[in-house]
Amino acid sequence: MGKPARELHIGIIGIGVVGSSVVEILQKNRELITARTGVEIIVKRGVVRDLNKARACTIPLTDNVDEVLYDESIDVVVELMGGRELPYQIAKTALAQGKAFVTANKAMLAYHRYELASMAKTPIGFEASVCGGIPIINALKVGLSANEILAIRGILNGTSNYILTKMAQDGWDFAQALQQAQNLGYAEANPSLDIDGYDAAHKLLILASIAYGIKAAPEEILVEGISEVAPEDIEFAKEFGYCIKLLGIAKKHGNEIELRVHPTMIDEEKLLADVDGVMNAVSVVGDCTGESVYYGAGAGGNPTASSVISDLIAIARSYHISQSLQPSAMLGFITEQQYSITPKEQIKSKYYMRILADDKHGVLEKITAILSKNAISISTFLQKPQKPAHTDSTPSQISSIGGLNQPECAKILLATHETSELAIQNAIKGLQALESVRQRPVIIRIEE
Ligand SMILES: NC(=O)c1ccc[n+]([C@@H]2O[C@H](COP(=O)([O-])OP(=O)(O)OC[C@H]3O[C@@H](n4cnc5c(N)ncnc54)[C@H](OP(=O)(O)O)[C@@H]3O)[C@@H](O)[C@H]2O)c1
């Protein structure tokens, strides 16, 4: 192999799960990466919090980020530490110092991506921030760039997908499945970002910036997590040919983009329905391509490091050609806002609803009256007597309320025809106000 024309010097802030894999892969695949880029990528220094921790990593380490940020010989700062505001400060400093910046940090980008984009005169790479090892950013930014993107639907969070898979396949309840995810290291001790849907929302917003130029923050879109999904919801889904997945959805309607993250009943025949365990997948519908689906490992050291290094390789290639760090042509965000976000209450969907109510005469009429007052029509209806305490009876499908020896409450499971979020939320308020309804009804949106 001939001598590479140049060297690209990088500093990595964070040598944890992803950072240490980046170092290892750059060493293991050094020759082939150099052959592909014509530039040798050299890790000058890594930054950690605790220098006393035992680690296999052989690169020089420091606990002082300034030794990377202000080192003039370093061309690219790679941020793999996690968090939100400190990484944002690091990104700004790196860009201000004329360095390229690469990150896997979706939480920081969900809030600060456009601020960084507006100041960047050097490349910013963030392939690893969405779906770990799946090159979905590049697919949207480059491969599909001739298309108008009509819809994106993604299983963007492996932890939630693992939990929902276990609930569906092994009949576990949410708490059991979460506990197992924690035991296996798939869920953090505080799992809220994953199970409440915000991690998926961060990623959805990054994708929506590329597809549509959406500048919103996570709080501005509809986000619901999976913690209320119960075994009877899964049973209902199975009975009617659906499975439940936490989906991030972006859909274009004229000049509006609908953005939402929530547990979703999807047709069990769809490709996304077969994505199990911690795997991720994204379906993109383009006006030229139709649907294309991208599947793979959404997390883990090596898959995520593969995406980090793909950004480094893209930077190295352009560096090799131009001998400089080119302005942020790599970024790929649409910077002119062309679309507005569909207001949450105007989003339309079919809904599944679970209502726990007194099992007595007249309750069903009151419930249907509230639905009909909100112009919601029912497509499917099931009623299951709530399993009474101290009996072995199993829930079964029955057709009416009332009768002798009935348990004292019943679960009413129904699916609606398409209606608006406003109508469904008003109906929930109305139902909750009924004395005979025991708790806030649970909804799951149905995506055709
Ligand atoms: N893990 C994945 O599968 C995955 C997938 C996609 C994206 N990501 C993203 O990648 C980033 C890194 O994740 P990770 O799982 O590799 O994290 P991690 O294993 O917790 O590693 C974090 C690293 O950053 C260092 N660090 C943390 N705070 C620091 C500070 N204030 N100053 C200096 N160093 C500091 C830690 O130092 P010590 O080693 O001394 O503790 C550690 O080396 C996150 O943004 C995450 O969201 C991760």
Side-chain angles (χ1 to χ4, degrees), residues 14-18 48-50 53 55 80-82 106 299-300 304:
I15 307 289
V17 173
V18 182
V48 294
R49 198 170 16 200
D50 178 3
K53 226 186 235 181
R55 14 184 141 233
L80 299 170
M81 65 191 287
K106 57 259 176 180
T304 310

Side-chain angles (χ1 to χ4, degrees), residues 174-186:
F174 173 78
Q176 282 173 302
L178 171 60
Q179 184 60 61
Q180 180 69 354
Q182 285 173 321
N183 294 345
L184 293 172
Y186 297 150

Side-chain angles (χ1 to χ4, degrees), residues 45-51 60-68:
R45 197 167 294 121
V47 185
V48 294
R49 198 170 16 200
D50 178 3
L51 281 170
L61 292 178
T62 172
D63 57 3
N64 180 1
V65 289
D66 289 353
E67 287 185 29
V68 163

Side-chain angles (χ1 to χ4, degrees), residues 130-135 278-281 295-300 302-304 307:
V130 181
C131 294
I134 307 175
V278 291
M279 301 307 277
N280 282 190
Y295 168 90
N302 282 351
T304 310
S307 289

